[in-house]
Amino acid sequence: MTTGNLGPLMEPHPPESYSDSEEETVSLAAGQEFSTDVQLTFCVMRRSCGLQDSALQEGVRTRLRIVESSGQEIAELFKDLSARLVSVHIERDCFSITFKTVEEIWKFSTYLALGHVARCLENFLFDQSFWLNEALVDDVEISVTLNQEHLATVYLGLLLQEGTFFAKALCPITNPDDDDLCIKKNDLVMVKNVGQDSFWEGMLLSSGRHDLVPVSAMQPLPYPFYQWFLKTYPGSAGSPSPGKCLFDHAIGKGTCVAVVDNNSKGTDELNFNKGEQLEIVGFLLSGLEWFVGRCVSSGKTGFVRTIHVKPESFKPLDTHLVFLSEEEKALLTMLDPSSEQCYDTLLNNLAKTDINTVYRLDKLVKSEFPDLKNKSQLEEMSLDGFTESSVLERYETVPTEHSPEQTDSKSQCSNKDITCLTFSSEDTFKEMDELEEDPKFFVDLNTWDTEDSEFFEPILTFLNEDHYVSHYQSLYDISFSFLNSTFYGFSEEGELVQYLENAREWAKKSRMNWALRRICFLLGRLCAKKVKFSQARVYFEESLGVTGCGFADTFLLTALYINLAAIYLKQNMKEKLEVILEKANSLFLCLPQHLFSSFNEFEVLQLVLKKAIMTSDMHLEARTCFLVMTLFLKLGRTEGALPFVERLQFLSLSISAQTTVSPVDLNWMLSTLYYDKYLPHMSLGSLRLASDQRRSLHATLQKVDRFIQNAIRLNAQWAGDNSPLPAQITIYLKQALAIASQSGDIQAQRDLCLSLVNVYQHYRVFDGAVEYAERAIETGRQINEEEAFKASLLLAWLLICNEQVEKASDILASLLKSLDETDSSTQRGVVHNLLAICLRKENRIKEAAGNLYWALKKSQETGNKRNQALTLANFGYLALSIRAYFLAEGYLLKSLQLFSELLDSSTDADHVQACLLLGQCYIETKRTEDGRLCYETALLIAMSARNLHSQLHAAKYLSCFYEKVLPRLGQCIIYYEHCVALSRQLKDKRLEGELLETLSKLYSSLKTEKACRKSLDYTKQSLRIFIDLGKKDKEAESWLQAGRIYYMIRENELVEMYLQAAIETAQRMNDSQFVMRMYEEAGDVFYKGNGHREAAIAFYRDGAVPLSRSTGDADSELRLINKLTELETNLKHYDDALQYATLAVRLSVSTGDQLKERIAFHRLASVHYSLQQYEMAENYYLKALSLSPLQCVKEARYFVKVYYRLGDLTLHKLEDALDASGYFNLALAAALEELENKEALYIIYIKLAEIHASHVPDEKLHSFFMSNAQALRKEPAPDTDTFC
């Protein structure tokens, strides 16, 4: 994964040369403006081929569009990453982020280098389905990159902006006027920009002297961590070591050879001759002046100067990433040493299923809304439950070498939300016998003036061992545990001090040097505890000056040197500090498993870390960070430890990048520390990076628990015992399953398989659920038959849900047979119920009814009302499926009565579905009011249970009811709006967009300006959602709908803009049929309207018609040509209309559809009529009539109209009264076929009477037609244009 450069933000060259490679530059001048915006680019990559996955990349863009609309979630993510989000550029696949402080850029650059940024983006951007695809999870990653040069520019700019910062001298600098201000190469200097181009004001950290220093000679420290550390922990930094050692490697162990004679009389120094072989005790760090060596010939141990030896059988460790001992590495990789919680309850909750005791309800249909378990509203969800540490009970696993042992002093459960990460002494001293109690000594206040040594003999004997024993641990540890574990009988520490003073005197008299050294050490510790540093120094110096003790107790010797060095440092005793500091460092850093005795030791470590910064010694820095981290964690100061843990992980990655050795994995520790700081995104990112190698089952389950806790913090909907879990949990469950399989833990395997089944089932990935259900059956058989039976039932139910009914039936039949020799009524009833569902799906109604009968009988035998209610509801659905409505009503009413008697909230979803079934039954039998009542009751039940999915289901039924069954537009809109509100709570953008689209159409159908404005608002909301989701077809339709509404409210200047946007969106889909439809519907907006109808022509002629021809869609082309014909005719463009009408005739003939031919000929006739070409019009009207002979009453009206038009045409235009009389008589004959059309008969009688009165005189016919007309005349005749 590309996580950013592991190197420094700034390379060692003069800062003037720093400029952004693209646009922005930063001047060194004070107050100069500069841009802090940085572009962070992301890319979804395939590990297997190293190429981008375009499909997943587009899915990530879609997710970004959705979250960008609210902006809060993505901003919170970058806030956790210590960056400020400026904007999201989705099409360019990048985020624009900025920083305001050096601390922000320090943290972000660290997260980037550690891989947390990429992992957090993966957790945030990949949807739930991704995490359920194991192949994708293993092969896909998000790679993030940014411009490192620009980031370095921003870093330098922020340093200058903050005023003072730290730099390293690139070369020696001398001041002829001040010898004390002689700056050596690599010295640390605090500089301040004073507005000069060539000089900064500098303060040398080793001496505190101030002067101007050349800018060209100063290099700002390249890592922001260094700036933070030196600013947070100010003080002297010392100077680089003058000598040069003979070792080419930073760290190692083995043997070396003396290159000089050494006969020093210094305390605890080793004397040796040139050429003697010396064994390295612990590590040799070439950056330190001393190490601890053992002379092979004499066997003596002491301090050895690094420059006095050269390597012989020297094993370099820097190439193997060994800056920690094996014991210290084990300490780091322990997941949570302070936590003895175990996970029986956790697994029980994850694997929980009631499949063997509770019946299942047959599904009404494949619902659009998932039928999930009950979930409360988010604001009332409790964070208590199996996800909290307070309820985690002991999970007994097969012990492994890395599993922490349980001690009596630690409780199994903790009710605190934040667990303090500490290291117990047992982790450091593995050799201690935990069953042996430490000896205790009574502080007798009456023996202070005694001359009898017997009173002090026990304590002196105990303290006079000439080597370290485990009982001394309490004397040295940082918690001062000896005050309670070793001594008793005193009320205040002053009494213990007096007692130890007396013991000290007796140790001197008795010449018990080891006892004297340890007593003086204890007295010094007690004085330092009371901040009496001068007195403490005296005791420590006396302890160190005791002769003959040496290195036999290295823990004591180390504690003495370091505590004394810390006091010298506090009291600014430079001469004494110089004598022991480097020796203290060698004991501190070169000997593994250091035991801290005071927080003052941190001041010594600060000096060592500053030295590592000066010398750029990564191994020395890593070793120091480890010790600082350990000290802070021992004291429970997790926030103080975090920067050093991050730095240690960064150094481990940096060192390992130069070798083939895997880095030390601190990600679990980081996950814990981020969790304590309430940074859930960071905690989850670290958890993803945490290695699963060499882990115990206990440790992996801790990861599962930590994932759940962080998921709840990110989204409260995951809380609660019955709530679903994020799909990403499958990663950790599978890790745990692999470990359980390796260790042979059958019970854990079964529980983990069931846990995975529950997750896959919730997300309706039934193939995955079936796979793990089959594994659960295998492991269940090895436990007992009951577990195998339960898993088999679960498998059958999953197969039913996955429509593999036949396979499910076979399993259930075998299970039913296996129950023949048992008396388990509940289990038999469960099998019968599931078998009935299978048989119903196979349309074997009679057999299904028989199984339901037995299921009901078994539930009645056990008195289980819930199962009785479910069985009756299934009976009702079975009856409903065969339209036995009376039976269905009876069963469902009985079911609802039982549901109403149950107080268990877990039945609410089934109760709602039973109500909906009864409502459907009533609607099928035309009892609409009763159906409405059932639907509303279902909604009320779901609302009282705060079950969002059930509410959505019921509200959807009610909206459809008022839309189709009992049309009431107002009520329909109310329920659709409730559905929208629910979809927003469920964060289902797809559903929200579809519901908003429906609401827009409903409001627009009201055709009032206010309703249209509301429709427009909903359309724009749905448009934003479809754009975010990348649904181009829906997006195009929304643009079109918006244009349609603007046309309705007469905002014509926006209409074509929105219609054109719809077409352009459709064109990006590369679907010609869809583009043609968009062109046609855009034209229809004007074609079906009342104004600007001519605008439709361009959409039809220039867009839709050419596309219909290119796709060979003759029917669509004919339809479009007919529309063009009508438009041109209405616009009185008769010549154009004639061309289109002629083309329509040719197209209609090619279709072979007589109805289409008739329409085309009729339009052609109408065009000729408009052109006053009456003979042609008459000809084509007759042709149209010939294509559809009068065969039914419905056709009669068309014949009436056309013959009337022909009669009128021949009478007035062609002036042929005889032919006109014939046409009118034919119209009369057609009208008589449709006797209900009295108006048409009346008009035709009048016309015929007129012809026989004036044009073809015939008094008899005139009287006949006139009398018939008068007989029909009951009200004034309508305008004759009705029939034109």
Side-chain angles (χ1 to χ4, degrees):
M1 177 183 300
T2 303
T3 57
N5 188 359
L6 290 177
L9 287 181
M10 301 182 64
E11 298 298 335
H13 47 71
E16 293 94 334
S17 64
Y18 281 96
S19 64
D20 183 45
S21 60
E22 296 178 358
E23 299 176 357
E24 305 180 32
T25 60
V26 176
S27 171
L28 295 180
Q32 180 71 34
E33 293 291 331
F34 65 96
S35 173
T36 59
D37 291 358
V38 178
Q39 303 301 315
L40 180 71
T41 304
F42 65 90
C43 182
V44 182
M45 303 291 292
R46 288 276 187 172
R47 293 187 182 96
S48 56
C49 61
L51 300 176
Q52 180 182 11
D53 189 310
S54 301
L56 287 175
Q57 186 81 12
E58 186 57 39
V60 166
R61 293 189 190 112
T62 299
R63 164 72 174 157
L64 266 180
R65 292 187 192 100
I66 293 171
V67 297
E68 188 192 18
S69 59
S70 62
Q72 183 177 359
E73 291 183 62
I74 190 70
E76 286 295 325
L77 169 63
F78 279 96
K79 183 180 178 182
D80 272 15
L81 292 171
S82 193
R84 300 166 189 252
L85 181 67
V86 177
S87 58
V88 182
H89 306 282
I90 296 173
E91 299 307 320
R92 287 161 44 198
D93 297 328
C94 70
F95 304 97
S96 180
I97 56 177
T98 190
F99 308 95
K100 299 300 182 185
T101 64
V102 173
E103 183 176 353
E104 287 181 357
I105 206 169
W106 157 49
K107 290 182 178 179
F108 179 81
S109 60
T110 301
Y111 300 152
L112 184 67
L114 298 184
H116 295 159
V117 174
R119 283 294 189 252
C120 287
L121 286 175
E122 287 174 8
N123 294 339
F124 183 78
L125 294 176
F126 287 143
D127 61 17
Q128 299 296 330
S129 61
F130 171 85
W131 302 109
L132 297 174
N133 189 326
E134 189 171 358
L136 281 182
V137 173
D138 292 340
D139 190 39
V140 173
E141 64 182 357
I142 287 183
S143 168
V144 293
T145 54
L146 50 71
N147 187 331
Q148 288 286 344
E149 290 186 10
H150 183 49
L151 190 63
T153 303
V154 175
Y155 169 53
L156 177 59
L158 291 174
L159 287 177
L160 294 171
Q161 191 179 71
E162 292 191 357
T164 59
F165 55 94
F166 296 89
K168 187 189 294 188
L170 295 174
C171 58
I173 304 172
T174 58
N175 188 339
D177 299 330
D178 190 349
D179 294 337
D180 291 336
L181 192 64
C182 180
I183 299 177
K184 303 174 185 177
K185 183 179 180 180
N186 292 330
D187 268 347
L188 294 179
V189 182
M190 185 172 73
V191 297
K192 181 179 181 180
N193 190 332
V194 291
Q196 298 187 27
D197 292 338
S198 303
F199 289 93
W200 283 330
E201 180 184 325
M203 184 191 79
L204 184 62
L205 294 191
S206 60
S207 64
R209 299 298 298 271
H210 290 257
D211 201 353
L212 292 177
V213 294
V215 171
S216 60
M218 292 289 109
Q219 169 62 38
L221 293 178
Y223 293 105
F225 169 80
Y226 294 161
Q227 302 287 347
W228 167 84
F229 172 73
L230 293 172
K231 187 175 291 187
T232 307
Y233 303 104
S236 174
S239 296
S241 303
K244 180 172 178 59
C245 72
L246 302 175
F247 291 84
D248 296 330
H249 296 276
I251 186 172
K253 62 182 180 179
T255 61
C256 51
V257 176
V259 295
V260 297
D261 293 331
N262 185 59
N263 295 311
S264 173
K265 296 181 180 180
T267 306
D268 297 322
E269 293 183 21
L270 183 64
N271 292 325
F272 48 83
N273 297 320
K274 181 178 179 180
E276 279 196 277
Q277 189 181 48
L278 304 178
E279 180 186 352
I280 299 170
V281 178
F283 298 128
L284 183 149
L285 288 163
S286 61
L288 298 179
E289 293 182 22
W290 299 84
F291 70 95
V292 179
R294 181 181 297 110
C295 183
V296 175
S297 59
S298 66
K300 293 182 179 180
T301 303
F303 292 110
V304 181
R305 284 190 181 274
T306 309
I307 60 175
H308 288 173
V309 296
K310 66 179 181 179
E312 188 187 45
S313 298
F314 183 76
K315 180 182 178 182
L317 300 177
D318 49 0
T319 57
H320 297 282
L321 201 64
V322 180
F323 48 82
L324 305 173
S325 68
E326 291 302 318
E327 293 82 2
E328 289 167 337
K329 283 187 179 180
L331 180 68
L332 281 179
T333 54
M334 292 181 67
L335 295 189
D336 192 352
S338 67
S339 173
E340 294 297 332
Q341 305 146 357
C342 294
Y343 298 91
D344 196 15
T345 302
L346 172 65
L347 272 184
N348 285 341
N349 279 279
L350 290 175
K352 183 168 58 178
T353 177
D354 56 5
I355 189 67
N356 61 327
T357 57
V358 178
Y359 294 179
R360 292 295 185 262
L361 187 62
D362 200 355
K363 304 304 177 194
L364 180 61
V365 287
K366 273 194 172 180
S367 176
E368 177 181 355
F369 307 98
D371 182 47
L372 303 175
K373 292 186 177 180
N374 298 274
K375 291 173 281 295
S376 299
Q377 285 184 344
L378 304 185
E379 62 271 14
E380 297 191 10
M381 285 184 175
S382 170
L383 297 184
D384 298 330
F386 67 86
T387 60
E388 290 299 316
S389 300
S390 59
V391 301
L392 297 176
E393 299 176 356
R394 175 160 179 76
Y395 185 80
E396 298 181 0
T397 63
V398 178
T400 65
E401 59 178 348
H402 296 291
S403 298
E405 298 179 7
Q406 187 177 10
T407 61
D408 294 337
S409 62
K410 295 186 179 181
S411 62
Q412 294 181 3
C413 299
S414 170
N415 57 6
K416 296 181 180 179
D417 181 57
I418 297 179
T419 305
C420 178
L421 182 64
T422 61
F423 292 98
S424 63
S425 56
E426 289 82 1
D427 301 321
T428 305
F429 298 95
K430 301 292 184 181
E431 71 277 8
M432 288 186 62
D433 184 0
E434 296 179 3
L435 299 178
E436 183 179 354
E437 293 184 0
D438 291 340
K440 293 187 177 182
F441 301 96
F442 178 69
V443 178
D444 190 348
L445 304 180
N446 298 320
T447 61
W448 290 352
D449 299 327
T450 182
E451 296 296 327
D452 190 351
S453 64
E454 292 181 1
F455 292 103
F456 294 98
E457 185 176 351
I459 182 63
L460 294 177
T461 303
F462 170 70
L463 295 175
N464 202 46
E465 294 285 348
D466 61 357
H467 61 279
Y468 173 81
V469 294
S470 60
H471 296 306
Y472 293 161
Q473 179 224 334
S474 62
L475 305 179
Y476 305 157
D477 66 25
I478 198 169
S479 62
F480 287 82
S481 58
F482 68 88
L483 294 175
N484 299 316
S485 63
T486 307
F487 301 99
Y488 69 99
F490 61 94
S491 58
E492 57 182 23
E493 290 182 13
E495 296 174 354
L496 177 60
V497 169
Q498 186 62 48
Y499 174 78
L500 291 174
E501 284 281 5
N502 286 349
R504 169 172 161 264
E505 294 301 321
W506 278 106
K508 288 180 181 179
K509 291 177 183 179
S510 305
R511 298 183 179 180
M512 303 176 76
N513 290 346
W514 279 104
L516 177 61
R517 170 171 273 198
R518 291 188 175 103
I519 290 171
C520 289
F521 172 70
L522 292 178
L523 286 167
R525 290 196 68 193
L526 290 171
C527 291
K529 186 171 182 279
K530 294 291 186 181
V531 200
K532 298 177 181 179
F533 293 119
S534 296
Q535 193 172 349
R537 173 172 51 80
V538 172
Y539 283 125
F540 286 142
E541 289 174 341
E542 181 181 349
S543 177
L544 192 59
V546 175
T547 59
C549 294
F551 282 79
D553 186 349
T554 54
F555 293 112
L556 175 60
L557 186 65
T558 304
L560 279 170
Y561 268 93
I562 297 172
N563 278 278
L564 198 52
I567 290 177
Y568 289 157
L569 193 59
K570 281 183 177 293
Q571 297 185 334
N572 201 24
M573 304 176 73
K574 294 184 179 180
E575 293 182 0
K576 288 188 173 183
L577 178 63
E578 288 176 359
V579 173
I580 71 164
L581 179 60
E582 285 298 325
K583 292 180 178 178
N585 289 343
S586 65
L587 291 169
F588 211 165
L589 285 93
C590 295
L591 299 182
Q593 298 176 266
H594 175 70
L595 179 62
F596 288 95
S597 59
S598 169
F599 184 69
N600 294 329
E601 298 178 30
F602 177 52
E603 298 191 17
V604 178
L605 288 172
Q606 291 178 41
L607 287 177
V608 180
L609 188 51
K610 291 171 185 176
K611 179 176 182 177
I613 293 171
M614 284 188 288
T615 59
S616 300
D617 189 335
M618 286 196 297
H619 286 82
L620 180 60
E621 184 183 349
R623 183 92 184 131
T624 308
C625 285
F626 166 73
L627 291 169
V628 174
M629 172 199 78
T630 307
L631 174 60
F632 275 106
L633 293 177
K634 274 181 159 303
L635 296 171
R637 301 183 182 184
T638 55
E639 191 164 350
L642 180 57
F644 297 97
V645 180
E646 291 173 340
R647 184 63 184 170
L648 181 58
Q649 182 69 65
F650 175 85
L651 291 168
S652 175
L653 289 170
S654 301
I655 296 170
S656 66
Q658 306 167 12
T659 69
T660 58
V661 183
S662 298
V664 175
D665 184 14
L666 300 174
N667 284 296
W668 168 260
M669 188 181 296
L670 284 171
S671 179
T672 301
L673 295 174
Y674 291 138
Y675 176 77
D676 292 348
K677 284 196 70 176
Y678 213 97
L679 297 172
H681 287 293
M682 295 299 302
S683 184
L684 285 175
S686 301
L687 200 62
R688 283 281 322 280
L689 288 166
S691 171
D692 59 345
Q693 297 178 356
R694 298 186 300 168
R695 300 292 194 202
S696 65
L697 180 60
H698 173 93
T700 311
L701 290 176
Q702 279 185 297
K703 293 172 72 173
V704 174
D705 185 44
R706 179 57 43 79
F707 173 81
I708 294 171
Q709 292 169 349
N710 281 293
I712 290 173
R713 285 182 172 181
L714 286 174
N715 193 339
Q717 72 168 324
W718 307 122
D721 288 344
N722 293 324
S723 300
L725 290 171
Q728 196 178 346
I729 198 176
T730 56
I731 295 174
Y732 308 104
L733 291 174
K734 289 174 184 176
Q735 290 177 8
L737 180 59
I739 293 172
S741 300
Q742 292 172 6
S743 64
D745 191 331
I746 301 301
Q747 182 72 34
Q749 289 181 57
R750 193 285 311 263
D751 290 345
L752 289 164
C753 285
L754 291 178
S755 302
L756 285 162
V757 168
N758 288 339
V759 178
Y760 278 102
Q761 182 184 7
H762 167 71
Y763 292 101
R764 306 188 71 79
V765 182
F766 293 113
D767 291 338
V770 166
E771 176 188 346
Y772 286 103
E774 289 172 345
R775 290 188 63 176
I777 294 172
E778 295 174 9
T779 53
R781 287 197 184 102
Q782 299 178 54
I783 299 173
N784 55 52
E785 288 299 322
E786 184 178 352
E787 295 298 336
F789 181 87
K790 182 194 294 186
S792 298
L793 275 177
L794 185 56
L795 175 60
W797 174 239
L798 292 171
L799 292 170
I800 292 171
C801 295
N802 203 29
E803 300 299 329
Q804 295 176 264
V805 181
E806 186 176 347
K807 191 174 179 181
S809 297
D810 294 340
I811 294 173
L812 291 168
S814 63
L815 290 177
L816 193 60
K817 187 176 181 181
S818 69
L819 292 172
D820 288 343
E821 298 179 359
T822 66
D823 57 353
S824 176
S825 296
T826 299
Q827 291 182 346
R828 186 177 289 275
V830 168
V831 176
H832 278 299
N833 181 70
L834 292 179
L835 193 54
I837 295 174
C838 287
L839 293 168
R840 200 276 308 163
K841 288 178 177 288
E842 294 177 322
N843 206 29
R844 295 159 64 182
I845 304 301
K846 188 174 181 180
E847 295 172 71
N851 278 277
L852 284 176
Y853 167 78
W854 284 109
L856 180 60
K857 186 174 181 180
K858 296 302 177 183
S859 63
Q860 290 172 340
E861 289 175 2
T862 57
N864 189 322
K865 288 188 176 181
R866 180 180 181 181
N867 285 345
Q868 291 177 46
L870 289 167
T871 310
L872 289 167
N874 283 336
F875 256 128
Y877 180 45
L878 184 65
L880 195 60
S881 67
I882 59 173
R883 300 183 180 181
Y885 299 120
F886 180 76
L887 281 175
E889 179 186 356
Y891 285 127
L892 290 169
L893 285 172
K894 290 178 182 178
S895 173
L896 290 174
Q897 183 178 355
L898 289 171
F899 274 126
S900 65
E901 296 173 5
L902 297 172
L903 300 177
D904 186 359
S905 62
S906 62
T907 65
D908 293 327
D910 296 329
H911 194 175
V912 169
Q913 192 164 348
C915 281
L916 295 176
L917 278 171
L918 183 58
Q920 182 174 343
C921 178
Y922 285 139
I923 289 170
E924 293 287 346
T925 55
K926 309 300 181 185
R927 297 163 61 182
T928 54
E929 192 62 28
D930 290 337
R932 178 189 63 81
L933 182 61
C934 287
Y935 287 167
E936 290 178 349
T937 303
L939 180 58
L940 289 173
I941 294 169
M943 292 175 70
S944 65
R946 298 182 178 88
N947 185 321
L948 298 180
H949 286 90
S950 292
Q951 285 185 58
L952 190 57
H953 207 168
K956 181 69 174 178
Y957 270 80
L958 278 164
S959 57
C960 291
F961 173 84
Y962 283 113
E963 184 178 5
K964 299 174 181 177
V965 180
L966 190 64
R968 292 180 184 174
L969 198 55
Q971 294 292 104
C972 179
I973 287 173
I974 288 172
Y975 286 113
Y976 268 121
E977 287 179 336
H978 184 58
C979 289
V980 170
L982 292 170
S983 67
R984 286 171 178 163
Q985 291 185 58
L986 292 169
K987 298 183 178 180
D988 189 336
K989 285 290 183 181
R990 180 196 62 80
L991 179 61
E992 181 186 348
E994 292 173 357
L995 291 169
L996 288 169
E997 185 181 31
T998 303
L999 271 171
S1000 170
K1001 293 175 181 177
L1002 290 172
Y1003 270 108
S1004 65
S1005 65
L1006 294 173
K1007 296 183 179 178
T1008 65
E1009 183 173 355
K1010 185 176 180 181
C1012 287
R1013 296 282 180 188
K1014 191 73 173 176
S1015 174
L1016 184 62
D1017 178 50
Y1018 282 133
T1019 299
K1020 290 183 176 180
Q1021 290 182 45
S1022 65
L1023 175 61
R1024 283 194 293 269
I1025 291 173
F1026 293 137
I1027 291 173
D1028 291 343
L1029 292 174
K1031 302 286 187 182
K1032 297 297 182 186
D1033 54 342
K1034 292 289 187 181
E1035 179 189 344
E1037 290 171 357
S1038 296
W1039 284 114
L1040 184 69
Q1041 176 69 1
R1044 190 180 288 121
I1045 297 168
Y1046 276 121
Y1047 180 81
M1048 294 171 67
I1049 59 179
R1050 295 181 177 84
E1051 294 189 12
N1052 298 324
E1053 65 277 5
L1054 295 173
V1055 177
E1056 288 205 32
M1057 183 181 75
Y1058 276 85
L1059 296 180
Q1060 197 61 42
I1063 292 168
E1064 289 174 0
T1065 304
Q1067 288 172 337
R1068 292 197 292 270
M1069 294 178 61
N1070 297 321
D1071 184 346
S1072 298
Q1073 287 287 345
F1074 185 72
V1075 177
M1076 182 186 69
R1077 183 165 71 84
M1078 286 296 102
Y1079 268 114
E1080 183 176 3
E1081 291 191 16
D1084 287 347
V1085 172
F1086 300 101
Y1087 175 76
K1088 297 177 180 178
N1090 297 320
H1092 301 285
R1093 296 191 71 202
E1094 67 277 5
I1097 295 174
F1099 290 104
Y1100 292 152
R1101 181 189 61 209
D1102 302 333
V1105 171
L1107 284 169
S1108 66
R1109 289 172 180 167
S1110 65
T1111 57
D1113 190 346
D1115 290 337
S1116 296
E1117 184 182 359
L1118 176 60
R1119 182 177 64 252
L1120 291 163
I1121 295 298
N1122 283 332
K1123 290 181 179 179
L1124 282 168
T1125 303
E1126 183 179 344
L1127 280 170
E1128 297 287 11
T1129 303
N1130 292 337
L1131 295 170
K1132 298 184 179 180
H1133 301 160
Y1134 299 124
D1135 291 336
D1136 293 334
L1138 182 59
Q1139 293 179 15
Y1140 289 125
T1142 305
L1143 177 59
V1145 168
R1146 288 203 300 268
L1147 289 170
S1148 65
V1149 171
S1150 66
T1151 63
D1153 187 329
Q1154 286 192 344
L1155 177 60
K1156 292 177 180 178
E1157 287 186 61
R1158 186 184 74 180
I1159 294 171
F1161 277 111
H1162 185 94
R1163 280 204 170 92
L1164 181 58
S1166 299
V1167 173
H1168 281 294
Y1169 183 87
S1170 300
L1171 287 168
Q1172 299 181 6
Q1173 298 172 358
Y1174 301 118
E1175 286 97 352
M1176 296 293 291
E1178 180 184 14
N1179 178 53
Y1180 287 121
Y1181 277 132
L1182 291 172
K1183 180 64 176 177
L1185 289 170
S1186 69
L1187 290 170
S1188 47
L1190 182 58
Q1191 294 178 344
C1192 62
V1193 174
K1194 292 181 180 179
E1195 294 285 340
R1197 180 162 296 188
Y1198 175 73
F1199 278 82
V1200 171
K1201 290 184 177 181
V1202 176
Y1203 278 127
Y1204 184 90
R1205 166 63 67 89
L1206 284 168
D1208 192 65
L1209 184 152
T1210 54
L1211 179 62
H1212 298 291
K1213 305 299 182 183
L1214 299 178
E1215 297 181 351
D1216 187 343
L1218 191 59
D1219 284 350
S1221 174
Y1223 287 134
F1224 281 123
N1225 277 293
L1226 289 171
L1228 176 61
L1232 290 172
E1233 292 289 333
E1234 188 187 13
L1235 293 175
E1236 294 180 358
N1237 194 348
K1238 306 296 184 183
E1239 295 175 359
L1241 284 171
Y1242 173 79
I1243 293 171
I1244 294 169
Y1245 280 134
I1246 292 295
K1247 278 290 183 183
L1248 285 168
E1250 179 186 346
I1251 289 172
H1252 290 292
S1254 305
H1255 302 286
V1256 183
D1258 188 331
E1259 185 64 30
K1260 185 177 180 181
L1261 289 175
H1262 168 73
S1263 300
F1264 173 76
F1265 290 124
M1266 185 60 71
S1267 63
N1268 286 336
Q1270 291 175 350
L1272 291 171
R1273 187 176 183 181
K1274 296 181 179 179
E1275 57 185 36
D1279 187 71
T1280 56
D1281 288 342
T1282 304
F1283 300 98
C1284 293

